[in-house]
Amino acid sequence: MASPTLFSFITEQLADLKARGLYNTIEPLESANGPVIRMGGRSFVNLSSNNYLGLATDKRLIDAAVQATIQFGVGSGAVRTINGTLSLHIELEEKLAAFKGTEAAVAYPSGFNCNMAAISAIMGDGDAILSDELNHASIIDGCRLTKSKVIRYSHSDMDDLRTKAREARESGRYAKIMVISDGVFSMDGDIAKLPEIVDIAETYDLITYVDDAHGSGVLGGGAGTVKHFGLSGRVDLQIGTLSKAVGVVGGYVACSQAVADWLKARSRPFLFSTSLPPGAVAASIAAIDLLQESRDLQEQLWNNASYLQNGLRRLGFSLGPTATPITPCIVGDEEKTQRFSAMLYEEGIFAKAIVFPTVPKGTGRIRNMPTSEHTSEMLDRALAAYEKVGCELGIIG
Ligand SMILES: *Cc1c(COP(=O)(O)O)cnc(C)c1O
């Protein structure tokens, strides 16, 4: 064991985080992550999951997972390239490609993995990546795995992107240039300006890469942000996750057949991390089938989102630029944000505070995630708690 003094930086920094209200305590759930959850023996209206469509507890998905687990076991036994590719993985990838309207799709153990995999498999030394400053942490880390020049552009600022794309192209310094954006920004709920991004990309010959973790299952009739804007066939790589609206776990890259073949040959998580377990794959297949059969769950999700957002706005809260079910309630100061969340908790509402470094300093917020499974009674309980706590903290009048 190393001498304890080597770890004193941890003790000091943890104390500092706690003093500044930036330390996140994690409380385990004693129930499924549904619209109502149990923690510490109490039940709460849950406004913090990504289980948008309630599929994490859907009977049809559970049955599919159980059947596949009985048939294939709990684990897949190997990485994809040795013998961890089951017929189920191929079926899932074919379904995902059809769902997204692309030639092919490649599944990975997580959405985070996809960004580790795809960015570094495609971009290298002598290339440049234009990246929105609010892109997800997994995109930032994926970019770090390349030796490419990373050029950040101001959030959704299309003039800035256009200028930087032109400069990068005209410099003649880069072999390939890629533009990367979240489809839906997870902390604010705003949608990327994809029509302009694609237009700029076509002007300056950029590879387009959209991480649609929060758009898939939610926008474009479920197919995501690219479909929402009618841009199918004009985006090179689309990342999706199987862990949010799809309700299970895993991620995928939807792309051309050539890119998929390359990812299967070269992307490191595909080669070096054990493939998704059979139960998760079968449940994901069932979810994609459901999403293609009916839009009822999506409609219910959007109805609930409007109900909650209208209610919060009527109370006087500021929700920022959201255009999706993601419902941030902006508080600002980090400590006050944490206090707000703790007071909601006392009222039986679980809505997590999101503070620096997940979001910029001074923009602390309670991020509410309505789902299709919430009843209006649950949302009314949440709104009543928001009114009480908002008044007590002097955030609303
Ligand atoms: C959640 C998220 C991921 C990670 O997906 P997981 O499947 O949870 O690993 C990647 N990108 C974005 C934009 C996300 O919101």
Side-chain angles (χ1 to χ4, degrees), residues 130-132 151 153-154 156-167 178-180 193 196-198 200-201 204 206:
L130 295 153
S131 177
D132 189 290
I151 304 166
Y153 61 91
S154 304
S156 281
D157 181 339
M158 293 298 111
D159 291 334
D160 194 36
L161 173 59
R162 192 178 289 277
T163 304
K164 286 174 173 159
R166 186 192 315 117
E167 283 170 4
M178 176 184 270
V179 56
I180 304 190
K193 295 174 181 164
E196 284 166 271
I197 292 175
V198 166
I200 293 167
Y204 297 105
L206 317 176

Side-chain angles (χ1 to χ4, degrees), residues 50 108-115 134-139 181-187 211-215 239-244 248-252 326 367:
N50 294 317
Y108 287 91
S110 75
F112 201 105
N113 249 254
C114 291
N115 286 324
L134 292 190
N135 275 344
H136 190 260
S138 57
I139 296 178
S181 180
D182 279 21
V184 172
F185 289 88
S186 52
M187 294 302 145
D211 178 348
D212 213 19
H214 282 277
I239 309 309
T241 172
L242 301 169
S243 64
K244 289 174 182 156
V248 192
V249 71
Y252 57 93
I326 296 172
R367 192 179 62 150

